[in-house]
Amino acid sequence: MKKPFALALVAGILTIMSCNTQNNPTVGDFASYPTYTKGDLGLTYTLKASTIKLWAPSADSVRLNIYDQGADSPAIESVQMERGPKGTWKATLKGDRKGQFYTFNVFTEGRMLAETPGVWNKAVGVNGLRAAIIDLADTNPEGWENDQRREVENYTDIVIYEMHHRDFSISENSGITNKGKFLALTEQGTRTTEGLASGIDHLKELGITHVHILPSYDYGSIDEAHLEQGNYNWGYDPKNYNVPEGGYSTDPFTPEVRIREMKQMVQALHKAGIGVIMDVVYNHTFVNDGSNFSLTVPGYYYRQTEEGDYSNASGCGNETASERPMVRHYIVESVKYWAREFHIDGFRFDLMAIHDIETMNAVRAELDKISTDIFVYGEGWMAGGSPLAGELQASKHNGKLFPRVAVFSDDIRDGLRGEWMNAGEGGFATGKVGERQKESIKFGVVGATEHPEVDYSKVNYSSAAYANDPVEVINYVSCHDDECLRDKIATVAKDAGAEQQKRMDLLAQTVVLTSQGVPFIFCGEELYRTKQGIRNTYNQPDEINRIDWSHKSTHNDVFTYYRELIRMRRSHPAFRMATTEQVAENLHFVESPEGTVVYTLNGAAVGDEWSEIIVVLNGNRGGVNVALPAGEWNIVCEDAKMNLDAPRAFAGGKFWVHGTSALIAYR
Ligand code: CA
């Protein structure tokens, strides 16, 4: 089944890749290729010499080209590399070569392949065409040695905020100087035109714990030499996996700058108590035959169809082959590099089901050696058929086989907003409140875990729990794909007025932020953003994608509600239990009127100062009476308003829950 992300990307990449050649990849006897995992592939720089190694077992010879510019200049030197052990090639350049650039030409099967900076480079010139010789130590900002990633006790304590660099800062009214850059997230004290906090101060005020940044490695769709054109792209078109994207730096020509500025961003977010999660797209590359993978070891990094063509589970023209040892090694080493060198706090794997389970377990195990604070999750689906057997895929249905790696729950997402493939159809939050929606919400409430009170046969796309524990699921109602929440609601609930549509938005996020599991919100939803109804905005102009910061004033009610919901979640462990046993024992559903989901939480059992909590989710557009057990209750959420600090007292008995709203009470 195709997923929204895939559809978006298919449309996007086909346009971008019109120049791509579609020759058959070379199908070699890949199993016979020796593997090399010593850890010194790429550049080893010292003042006395630069040693460069490449793994290219199918090459007959390899030429190394040296340049003094990152692009558009003739080679100043070229060297034949020496054959080393296990399919490697080596060249040693004497003297201090800092500031120079290099590429490889691989000769194989009687032809010379086009130049490539290789796959192990960590620094590049403009547009990622040539690898750069740098000293990584030069890229560390002041105080970097004291920078630490965010500590995490349980992954369910995390609140994720998914953001694109340009969306967040590009507006005139963002108050941010470094618009669309890594440095935007280093600016303190920025204000909207109306004087409210923006930028990093806004994130602190909102209370999220982790920023998930859309692809920030070097991608291919933006011309870094002409950033003045102001082009926009999400960046799901990987070029150099271990280098930050030049378009987000203030100088894409000087290789150290993008690395330093990304580290400055991480450092500033860490100082603000916020972790940084990278969106990683190892499942495909921007181009096929012309990719750095293909120009180094033709065919090896990709899966093939029986006819020998590129298989296409990504919907983007190719899919990588993580089951092959050097591809798995590459993915694992790449995330380790980002975690160590950039102090990254988490990784979100795009189309994760394209990767095999063994690879995701290896990623988790190797990252654990660096820090168990690092969170890993991904899309548990793919965008087309794959030669990889179903039982090997890191799909959500196999979720229990790769523990402590979370998957996105499209079940709760579409239960709340409506099925993605039926554009005009709504979900629980917009008043479509059938059994299917109700059980999908309950499935989300228990964090996709095994719970005796959920009827899994009625859940949207799953017939069983896929999380071993609630730390293994991402609950969300919107992300960069498809309509943002406000636009989706406007589409499926045209008949509702503006005020009621806003209540639908608040109800949907109430479910996300009170459910067990790891909540995830899309940047700008807290400001009631709109993308003007456009579903797939991967290359739309800033006018469509940017956050209009004036919304923080005009829709301050939405912002305040989101902020208070997050504050409640972070203050109360009952909403973020870490184990399936805790959820099964302490969360119970209550018989309730049609179109509602009602459950209680035993806060006392998990150390919450709210010893008993009741949550009523009313998807009906009209109000309903719900019976609260007798005794004094404190109402902290009702009629689409949060009231954490001055809860209203209620003596129990019949309680009128307004249409399209939640009731949250404790005692
Ligand atoms: Ca780029």
Side-chain angles (χ1 to χ4, degrees):
M1 182 172 65
K2 283 196 173 182
K3 298 291 172 173
F5 173 79
L7 286 182
L9 216 58
V10 171
I13 295 298
L14 287 182
T15 319
I16 302 165
M17 297 205 318
S18 54
C19 60
N20 185 30
T21 54
Q22 294 286 339
N23 297 336
N24 290 355
T26 304
V27 180
D29 180 12
F30 301 132
S32 72
Y33 287 7
T35 57
Y36 183 86
T37 54
K38 208 177 154 198
D40 61 352
L41 291 172
L43 169 71
T44 303
Y45 167 82
T46 70
L47 284 171
K48 287 182 181 166
S50 288
T51 303
I52 294 162
K53 287 190 182 177
L54 184 73
W55 182 76
S58 58
D60 296 316
S61 67
V62 182
R63 188 175 76 194
L64 180 70
N65 312 293
I66 316 295
Y67 300 90
D68 59 4
Q69 302 287 322
D72 304 322
S73 69
I76 56 170
E77 196 179 341
S78 84
V79 179
Q80 284 300 322
M81 297 185 81
E82 292 169 26
R83 201 184 279 273
K86 300 189 171 178
T88 59
W89 299 82
K90 176 184 168 180
T92 302
L93 307 171
K94 292 213 167 71
D96 183 1
R97 299 300 187 111
K98 192 194 287 185
Q100 295 186 345
F101 297 83
Y102 63 90
T103 62
F104 306 96
N105 278 122
V106 167
F107 292 79
T108 181
E109 295 182 332
R111 63 196 175 112
M112 185 181 83
L113 305 182
E115 277 182 273
T116 172
V119 304
W120 291 95
N121 65 74
K122 297 183 168 92
V124 293
V126 66
N127 283 322
L129 300 171
R130 296 173 180 174
I133 299 180
I134 67 162
D135 183 352
L136 269 173
D138 294 342
T139 65
N140 293 342
E142 206 184 322
W144 184 243
E145 63 282 2
N146 300 320
D147 179 69
Q148 296 205 321
R149 65 174 54 79
R150 192 184 192 285
E151 284 181 19
V152 179
E153 194 181 336
N154 297 310
Y155 297 136
T156 44
D157 299 342
I158 290 172
V159 180
I160 299 172
Y161 186 85
E162 185 202 42
M163 170 204 293
H164 185 282
H165 296 287
R166 273 184 99 85
D167 292 17
F168 190 65
S169 56
I170 206 77
S171 284
E172 273 310 311
N173 60 15
S174 71
I176 293 168
T177 305
N178 293 285
K179 293 181 170 57
K181 305 294 183 188
F182 293 125
L183 292 182
L185 284 163
T186 66
E187 295 181 33
Q188 312 286 329
T190 60
R191 291 289 177 271
T192 68
T193 307
E194 293 78 19
L196 300 176
S198 67
I200 199 167
D201 288 10
H202 170 77
L203 297 178
K204 283 199 272 189
E205 188 185 2
L206 181 60
I208 54 96
T209 68
H210 285 63
V211 164
H212 152 161
I213 45 175
L214 259 66
S216 297
Y217 52 73
D218 178 38
Y219 58 81
S221 54
I222 296 292
D223 183 356
E224 298 174 6
H226 295 285
L227 294 176
E228 74 284 356
Q229 293 169 347
N231 291 329
Y232 180 100
N233 207 285
W234 282 343
Y236 291 91
D237 44 75
K239 197 165 181 182
N240 292 292
Y241 281 106
N242 297 324
V243 186
E245 161 59 21
Y248 297 138
S249 75
T250 58
D251 175 8
F253 293 88
T254 308
E256 290 87 351
V257 174
R258 59 177 79 186
I259 302 174
R260 185 181 307 117
E261 291 180 347
M262 186 165 171
K263 287 178 175 174
Q264 285 177 269
M265 175 193 80
V266 172
Q267 186 180 38
L269 285 163
H270 283 169
K271 273 187 189 155
I274 297 169
V276 180
I277 295 168
M278 277 186 70
D279 191 340
V280 289
V281 188
Y282 298 107
N283 67 74
H284 75 276
T285 52
F286 184 35
V287 292
N288 296 350
D289 294 348
S291 76
N292 294 331
F293 285 151
S294 295
L295 296 176
T296 307
V297 191
Y300 180 82
Y301 288 91
Y302 302 101
R303 295 190 186 120
Q304 287 83 22
T305 63
E306 284 180 10
E307 293 75 36
D309 296 320
Y310 289 99
S311 56
N312 188 18
S314 69
C316 301
N318 61 71
E319 65 180 280
T320 54
S322 59
E323 68 280 15
R324 293 181 193 150
M326 286 300 282
V327 183
R328 178 178 299 143
H329 176 63
Y330 185 77
I331 293 171
V332 170
E333 289 304 307
S334 180
V335 293
K336 279 166 64 182
Y337 172 70
W338 285 106
R340 287 208 177 109
E341 185 67 30
F342 290 83
H343 307 174
I344 294 297
D345 299 82
F347 297 92
R348 174 267 190 198
F349 280 75
D350 186 61
L351 299 181
M352 185 168 63
I354 291 178
H355 304 314
D356 66 317
I357 290 168
E358 192 178 338
T359 294
M360 292 315 300
N361 280 328
V363 164
R364 182 66 270 178
E366 289 299 313
L367 288 174
D368 277 342
K369 291 178 190 168
I370 298 170
S371 170
T372 53
D373 291 336
I374 299 172
F375 185 45
V376 179
Y377 57 104
E379 292 182 309
W381 52 72
M382 51 176 70
S386 172
L388 182 69
E391 67 268 25
L392 301 181
Q393 298 169 5
S395 67
K396 66 170 188 171
H397 300 296
N398 293 331
K400 289 185 173 178
L401 302 177
F402 41 103
R404 297 179 53 252
V405 173
V407 294
F408 282 94
S409 174
D410 51 351
D411 297 285
I412 188 173
R413 181 196 68 197
D414 290 1
L416 284 169
R417 63 187 269 154
E419 292 180 19
W420 65 274
M421 67 286 263
N422 297 323
E425 202 172 283
F428 183 84
T430 65
K432 187 173 167 61
V433 290
E435 277 300 297
R436 189 177 159 95
Q437 285 76 26
K438 185 168 172 170
E439 289 305 313
S440 297
I441 301 308
K442 288 170 64 183
F443 179 86
V445 165
V446 302
T449 59
E450 196 70 54
H451 193 288
E453 296 159 22
V454 175
D455 182 351
Y456 295 87
S457 71
K458 291 176 183 156
V459 174
N460 261 347
Y461 313 124
S462 304
S463 52
Y466 41 72
N468 290 303
D469 286 301
V471 297
E472 293 175 13
V473 73
I474 304 288
N475 286 325
Y476 71 125
V477 65
S478 65
C479 65
H480 65 278
D481 286 315
D482 287 322
E483 298 95 341
C484 60
L485 183 54
R486 177 180 174 178
D487 291 351
K488 174 72 180 179
I489 291 169
T491 306
V492 299
K494 284 195 185 78
D495 53 321
E499 265 320 295
Q500 193 164 26
Q501 288 183 2
K502 196 178 258 190
R503 292 170 71 95
M504 292 170 177
D505 180 290
L506 300 182
L507 174 62
Q509 298 286 18
T510 307
V511 179
V512 168
L513 285 159
T514 52
S515 288
Q516 308 298 319
V518 182
F520 168 111
I521 63 171
F522 177 44
C523 164
E525 301 282 37
E526 78 282 13
L527 303 179
Y528 210 42
R529 85 181 287 181
T530 170
K531 294 198 287 181
Q532 314 302 334
I534 301 177
R535 287 187 79 170
N536 177 13
T537 64
Y538 79 98
N539 68 347
Q540 292 289 313
D542 292 330
E543 287 67 38
I544 302 298
N545 281 301
R546 70 181 172 202
I547 302 303
D548 177 353
W549 286 90
S550 72
H551 282 210
K552 192 163 178 182
S553 300
T554 49
H555 299 292
N556 196 261
D557 49 344
V558 174
F559 173 74
T560 304
Y561 188 94
Y562 277 47
R563 185 194 66 205
E564 291 300 286
L565 261 181
I566 293 170
R567 185 158 75 96
M568 180 180 75
R569 181 181 182 88
R570 290 188 60 187
S571 317
H572 293 282
F575 296 108
R576 42 190 171 85
M577 291 183 250
T579 69
T580 295
E581 291 68 32
Q582 285 176 329
V583 176
E585 279 169 25
N586 303 313
L587 187 157
H588 294 289
F589 293 98
V590 178
E591 194 76 19
S592 67
E594 213 168 295
T596 65
V597 171
V598 181
Y599 64 95
T600 61
L601 295 167
N602 181 350
V606 292
D608 199 310
E609 61 186 27
W610 292 356
S611 61
E612 198 182 345
I613 301 169
I614 188 160
V615 177
V616 179
L617 305 167
N618 182 14
N620 298 298
R621 295 197 188 177
V624 289
N625 267 317
V626 172
L628 263 62
E632 190 81 353
W633 288 91
N634 301 289
I635 314 284
V636 291
C637 176
E638 64 175 315
D639 198 16
K641 285 180 196 64
M642 292 287 297
N643 201 359
L644 269 186
D645 295 326
R648 185 164 77 81
F650 180 72
K654 265 190 187 173
F655 191 95
W656 181 250
V657 181
H658 294 266
T660 316
S661 77
L663 163 74
I664 304 172
Y666 75 90
R667 60 181 179 186

